[in-house]
Amino acid sequence: MERSSKRISLARVGGVLGVLFVIVLRRTLVVEADLPFPESVAAAEIVKAGQGGQSGAKFVFGGLVLAAMWELLKNINGILLIKEKTAGAIAFGRSSISVLHIVGFRVAAILFSGAVIGWLFLVPLAVFLNPDLSANLGPGGDLVVLSEDVWFNQIRPLAVGTMIVAAFWTLWGLRGPLVSGISKALADIRLGDGAGERAPRTEIDLPFNRVFLAIGGMAVATFFLYYHFTGSIVGALLLTLVMVVLGFLFAAVAGYLVGLIGNSNNPISGLTLTALLVAALLMVAIGLTDMSGVAGVLAVAGVVCCAAGIAGDMMQDLKVGHILGGTPWRMEIGEIIGVIGAAVVLAIALNVMHVAYTIGSAELPAPQAGLMALIANGIVGGEMAWPLVITGMFFAVGLILVSAPAPMLIAVGMYLPFYSTAAIFVGGLIRALFEWRQKRARLTPSERQGAENKGVLLSSGFIAGESLMAVTLAFLFMGQDFVPILARWKEALTPSGDGSLLLGLAAYPFVVALLVWLPLRGLGRNASER
């Protein structure tokens, strides 16, 4: 019970701080920065579809039903007729495909270039330069398993180093808007509430003087929480400082990346690992190298993780409100209430998901958590693979020097599993095909906008349907102990084996038809030819 209360406290502190940081950053990233916010656009289209009757809602709910049925057929707690991926093959990931259908080919290509560098260049290079690795496999060894181990233990730490430099480079690129936004926030504090009353309703945030006071109050509460973990006043002070500074910086980075590629691809784990590295080095510097130091480092990582996650999610929500004409301060109050309550609900949901899928298993691997524990113990215990992290930092410097597009996206591509980035790249290809057919169709501006909206709505339905079904099946799995009919249903419908890969591959043409052909059906002056 005590351990659960600590987790809830960390989640609440991190969530509330994430909201407070975003309030300061809202104008900079939502209003002034030229970011596409793909998922925010999708959410706004869903709302518009609901307000417009049946003109677009059928695409949302049609996509939702199709994706939910697909998840039912491939989920280990469902019917399991379809195999989603196999060793050496690219997994079919419809959520990623849908998201990148909204964003476009270029972002997908940059992200996938990181996967190509990590998986198809660095992994083979690492195996080649260390022949003992493959020699230790023996005659019956699995080269795919070896490659995955090399990626996990060598390439991912290198990617973390790349993310560290890329994250600060991203912030440097945003220095103008960020400084401007903070300056405006401070100016609003000096002007008082009167300035806010003269502003348009759609531009009024919560008063910044109260926001900064709340951030200070949360920092004090976090200090006592960290002191409980470390038993050191100096350690708690340093950890609190790291949490506030990096929490704000990474909230800005998370908000920026959500605006660029969507919340589904927010590299929260990479940002959290960066905070973990900094906190761990400080603990070593002051001599906290026992388990109390490790606990304090992981506590910082937990708060920063929640802050970055909530920052990305809330930035997306605020963009939806901005598109639809919402009132920011009302949304900000709702977010604060939501994260406080969600901390408790999240603990229940995670427990259900763990029972149903086992966190750490192939179905729910959560590799970031294992890597964080490994790095925390490695740094504090003096066993960190610093050469890999530093090499990744220099790799990021090289990317910056050659003016590579979006070094952070490249680092994220190196860090994510190959099947995930490959599915994203396929989504970008589908988007490119969609745009090519748009040009051939010679659409009018209104027809082009209508086709875009239909594609967005379908993609949104795909994203929601798969996720909701996975969570629903987890709760049904938990209910088998209490409702015998659920256990008999699963036993009767789940076949032996792990499903058919061919059925998974066969779904690609169907998805392409839905995302490319259906939105354009009946549009354009050459509709009869299509």
Side-chain angles (χ1 to χ4, degrees):
M1 182 64 68
E2 181 182 358
R3 183 176 299 178
S4 297
S5 64
K6 292 177 183 177
R7 293 170 181 167
I8 293 173
S9 298
L10 289 173
R12 282 179 173 169
V13 169
V16 172
L17 279 173
V19 174
L20 297 174
F21 292 151
V22 167
I23 294 173
V24 179
L25 296 166
R26 183 195 68 85
R27 180 185 295 274
T28 299
L29 295 178
V30 170
V31 180
E32 298 175 354
D34 185 18
L35 297 173
F37 279 93
E39 293 175 352
S40 299
V41 173
E45 291 300 328
I46 292 175
V47 175
K48 291 177 182 178
Q51 293 175 342
Q54 298 298 319
S55 59
K58 62 182 179 182
F59 293 100
V60 178
F61 293 109
L64 188 149
V65 172
L66 287 174
M69 293 303 297
W70 179 267
E71 180 66 23
L72 177 65
L73 295 176
K74 72 180 181 65
N75 194 288
I76 61 169
N77 293 316
I79 300 177
L80 195 58
L81 291 176
I82 297 170
K83 187 174 185 178
E84 186 179 29
K85 60 186 176 183
T86 187
I90 298 174
F92 178 77
R94 187 182 39 279
S95 291
S96 297
I97 287 176
S98 298
V99 172
L100 269 296
H101 172 76
I102 300 170
V103 174
F105 174 76
R106 187 174 184 273
V107 172
I110 295 172
L111 195 65
F112 188 58
S113 70
V116 172
I117 293 171
W119 282 93
L120 302 182
F121 174 67
L122 293 179
V123 168
L125 184 64
V127 175
F128 175 78
L129 293 178
N130 190 358
D132 292 338
L133 289 176
S134 56
N136 291 335
L137 283 177
D142 190 338
L143 193 59
V144 173
V145 173
L146 173 63
S147 299
E148 291 176 346
D149 288 341
V150 169
W151 168 73
F152 187 84
N153 295 305
Q154 297 184 31
I155 307 307
R156 280 168 64 95
L158 188 148
V160 169
T162 306
M163 281 188 203
I164 293 173
V165 175
F168 284 99
W169 179 250
T170 301
L171 286 175
W172 178 253
L174 288 171
R175 65 190 183 281
L178 286 175
V179 171
S180 175
I182 295 174
S183 298
K184 289 178 181 178
L186 295 175
D188 288 343
I189 293 175
R190 290 193 296 269
L191 291 174
D193 292 337
E197 293 174 359
R198 292 191 297 271
R201 173 187 59 82
T202 56
E203 293 298 328
I204 300 177
D205 294 289
L206 288 175
F208 286 113
N209 55 349
R210 298 178 185 177
V211 170
F212 286 124
L213 284 175
I215 291 175
M218 297 303 296
V220 171
T222 307
F223 165 79
F224 287 106
L225 190 60
Y226 289 159
Y227 178 75
H228 174 77
F229 283 110
T230 63
S232 167
I233 294 179
V234 175
L237 282 172
L238 286 174
L239 292 176
T240 302
L241 180 63
V242 169
M243 180 273 299
V244 172
V245 174
L246 293 186
F248 176 76
L249 293 178
F250 291 164
V253 173
Y256 173 79
L257 289 174
V258 164
L260 183 63
I261 59 176
N263 201 35
S264 299
N265 298 287
N266 185 0
I268 299 173
S269 53
L271 299 177
T272 304
L273 285 170
T274 304
L276 186 146
L277 284 170
V278 175
L281 288 175
L282 290 175
M283 292 301 96
V284 172
I286 65 175
L288 278 178
T289 56
D290 55 6
M291 290 307 298
S292 64
V294 175
V297 168
L298 292 176
V300 169
V303 172
V304 172
C305 179
C306 292
I310 291 298
D313 178 73
M314 184 182 174
M315 198 70 73
Q316 179 173 280
D317 294 345
L318 289 172
K319 183 64 176 182
V320 175
H322 180 71
I323 294 172
L324 299 176
T327 304
W329 72 267
R330 293 182 183 274
M331 298 181 67
E332 290 156 5
I333 290 178
E335 292 280 354
I336 293 174
I337 296 172
V339 296
I340 292 175
V344 178
V345 177
L346 182 62
I348 298 173
L350 285 176
N351 183 62
V352 171
M353 298 294 283
H354 178 64
V355 173
Y357 301 111
T358 307
I359 297 177
S361 67
E363 288 73 27
L364 206 61
Q368 293 87 342
L371 187 61
M372 289 177 194
L374 178 66
I375 291 178
N377 284 300
I379 294 177
V380 174
E383 301 176 356
M384 181 62 188
W386 281 112
L388 293 173
V389 177
I390 295 174
T391 299
M393 292 179 175
F394 281 111
F395 179 67
V397 172
L399 292 176
I400 293 169
L401 290 176
V402 299
S403 300
M408 175 63 84
L409 284 181
I410 296 174
V412 172
M414 296 167 57
Y415 182 79
L416 293 174
F418 186 81
Y419 61 79
S420 177
T421 51
I424 290 172
F425 183 62
V426 171
L429 292 175
I430 293 176
R431 173 68 182 200
L433 179 60
F434 173 78
E435 292 177 350
W436 175 75
R437 292 204 71 237
Q438 268 191 329
K439 292 178 181 179
R440 288 197 63 191
R442 293 185 294 171
L443 303 180
T444 65
S446 61
E447 287 178 330
R448 181 181 295 272
Q449 185 62 47
E452 293 274 354
N453 291 345
K454 291 177 183 177
V456 167
L457 292 171
L458 276 170
S459 300
S460 304
F462 284 161
I463 294 168
E466 184 177 14
S467 303
L468 289 174
M469 179 56 73
V471 174
T472 300
L473 289 174
F475 276 94
L476 290 176
F477 179 85
M478 287 282 291
Q480 292 181 93
D481 295 334
F482 309 99
V483 184
I485 191 174
L486 294 178
R488 291 196 296 269
W489 171 82
K490 179 171 172 48
E491 182 179 356
L493 294 183
T494 302
S496 60
D498 54 0
S500 169
L501 181 63
L502 292 178
L503 288 176
L505 294 174
Y508 274 101
F510 182 66
V511 172
V512 171
L514 285 176
L515 292 177
V516 176
W517 171 78
L518 185 59
L520 296 172
R521 186 181 64 173
L523 297 179
R525 289 187 288 273
N526 292 330
S528 60
E529 300 177 6
R530 301 194 299 273

